[in-house]
PDB file of all heavy atoms in Angstrom:
ATOM      1  N   ILE A1286       0.236   6.564   8.400  1.00 41.00           N
ATOM      2  CA  ILE A1286      -0.505   7.776   8.055  1.00 41.00           C
ATOM      3  C   ILE A1286      -1.880   7.833   8.681  1.00 41.00           C
ATOM      4  O   ILE A1286      -2.474   8.885   8.770  1.00 41.00           O
ATOM      5  CB  ILE A1286      -0.633   7.944   6.533  1.00 41.00           C
ATOM      6  CG1 ILE A1286      -1.371   6.775   5.928  1.00 41.00           C
ATOM      7  CG2 ILE A1286       0.709   8.147   5.892  1.00 41.00           C
ATOM      8  CD1 ILE A1286      -1.825   6.988   4.543  1.00 41.00           C
ATOM      9  N   GLY A1287      -2.425   6.709   9.093  1.00 39.00           N
ATOM     10  CA  GLY A1287      -3.687   6.702   9.824  1.00 39.00           C
ATOM     11  C   GLY A1287      -4.836   7.436   9.179  1.00 39.00           C
ATOM     12  O   GLY A1287      -5.421   8.325   9.777  1.00 39.00           O
ATOM     13  N   GLY A1288      -5.192   7.121   7.960  1.00 39.00           N
ATOM     14  CA  GLY A1288      -6.420   7.644   7.394  1.00 39.00           C
ATOM     15  C   GLY A1288      -6.258   8.607   6.244  1.00 39.00           C
ATOM     16  O   GLY A1288      -7.153   9.379   5.946  1.00 39.00           O
ATOM     17  N   GLY A1289      -5.157   8.629   5.565  1.00 42.00           N
ATOM     18  CA  GLY A1289      -5.038   9.449   4.367  1.00 42.00           C
ATOM     19  C   GLY A1289      -4.255  10.727   4.579  1.00 42.00           C
ATOM     20  O   GLY A1289      -3.935  11.108   5.688  1.00 42.00           O
ATOM     21  N   LEU A1290      -3.948  11.403   3.510  1.00 45.00           N
ATOM     22  CA  LEU A1290      -3.181  12.638   3.547  1.00 45.00           C
ATOM     23  C   LEU A1290      -4.095  13.843   3.597  1.00 45.00           C
ATOM     24  O   LEU A1290      -5.195  13.808   3.079  1.00 45.00           O
ATOM     25  CB  LEU A1290      -2.312  12.746   2.286  1.00 45.00           C
ATOM     26  CG  LEU A1290      -1.259  11.674   2.128  1.00 45.00           C
ATOM     27  CD1 LEU A1290      -0.563  11.840   0.791  1.00 45.00           C
ATOM     28  CD2 LEU A1290      -0.255  11.744   3.245  1.00 45.00           C
ATOM     29  N   ALA A1291      -3.619  14.895   4.203  1.00 45.00           N
ATOM     30  CA  ALA A1291      -4.393  16.133   4.252  1.00 45.00           C
ATOM     31  C   ALA A1291      -4.166  16.916   2.962  1.00 45.00           C
ATOM     32  O   ALA A1291      -3.063  17.345   2.677  1.00 45.00           O
ATOM     33  CB  ALA A1291      -3.971  16.961   5.448  1.00 45.00           C
ATOM     34  N   VAL A1292      -5.200  17.080   2.197  1.00 46.00           N
ATOM     35  CA  VAL A1292      -5.140  17.841   0.953  1.00 46.00           C
ATOM     36  C   VAL A1292      -6.214  18.904   1.044  1.00 46.00           C
ATOM     37  O   VAL A1292      -7.353  18.620   1.377  1.00 46.00           O
ATOM     38  CB  VAL A1292      -5.393  16.932  -0.271  1.00 46.00           C
ATOM     39  CG1 VAL A1292      -5.371  17.739  -1.555  1.00 46.00           C
ATOM     40  CG2 VAL A1292      -4.374  15.814  -0.329  1.00 46.00           C
ATOM     41  N   ASP A1293      -5.834  20.175   0.769  1.00 46.00           N
ATOM     42  CA  ASP A1293      -6.834  21.235   0.895  1.00 46.00           C
ATOM     43  C   ASP A1293      -7.835  21.195  -0.254  1.00 46.00           C
ATOM     44  O   ASP A1293      -7.722  20.377  -1.165  1.00 46.00           O
ATOM     45  CB  ASP A1293      -6.169  22.610   1.038  1.00 46.00           C
ATOM     46  CG  ASP A1293      -5.439  23.053  -0.227  1.00 46.00           C
ATOM     47  OD1 ASP A1293      -5.750  22.547  -1.318  1.00 46.00           O
ATOM     48  OD2 ASP A1293      -4.576  23.924  -0.118  1.00 46.00           O
ATOM     49  N   ASP A1294      -8.816  22.099  -0.224  1.00 47.00           N
ATOM     50  CA  ASP A1294      -9.896  22.033  -1.212  1.00 47.00           C
ATOM     51  C   ASP A1294      -9.467  22.394  -2.627  1.00 47.00           C
ATOM     52  O   ASP A1294     -10.216  22.222  -3.566  1.00 47.00           O
ATOM     53  CB  ASP A1294     -11.096  22.875  -0.766  1.00 47.00           C
ATOM     54  CG  ASP A1294     -10.752  24.331  -0.541  1.00 47.00           C
ATOM     55  OD1 ASP A1294      -9.581  24.727  -0.741  1.00 47.00           O
ATOM     56  OD2 ASP A1294     -11.662  25.087  -0.164  1.00 47.00           O
ATOM     57  N   THR A1295      -8.240  22.900  -2.810  1.00 49.00           N
ATOM     58  CA  THR A1295      -7.737  23.168  -4.158  1.00 49.00           C
ATOM     59  C   THR A1295      -6.981  21.962  -4.704  1.00 49.00           C
ATOM     60  O   THR A1295      -6.545  21.967  -5.837  1.00 49.00           O
ATOM     61  CB  THR A1295      -6.798  24.387  -4.174  1.00 49.00           C
ATOM     62  OG1 THR A1295      -5.627  24.071  -3.404  1.00 49.00           O
ATOM     63  CG2 THR A1295      -7.472  25.623  -3.626  1.00 49.00           C
TER      64      THR A1295
END
Side-chain angles (χ1 to χ4, degrees):
I1286 60 166
L1290 297 175
V1292 178
D1293 67 22
D1294 58 1
T1295 65

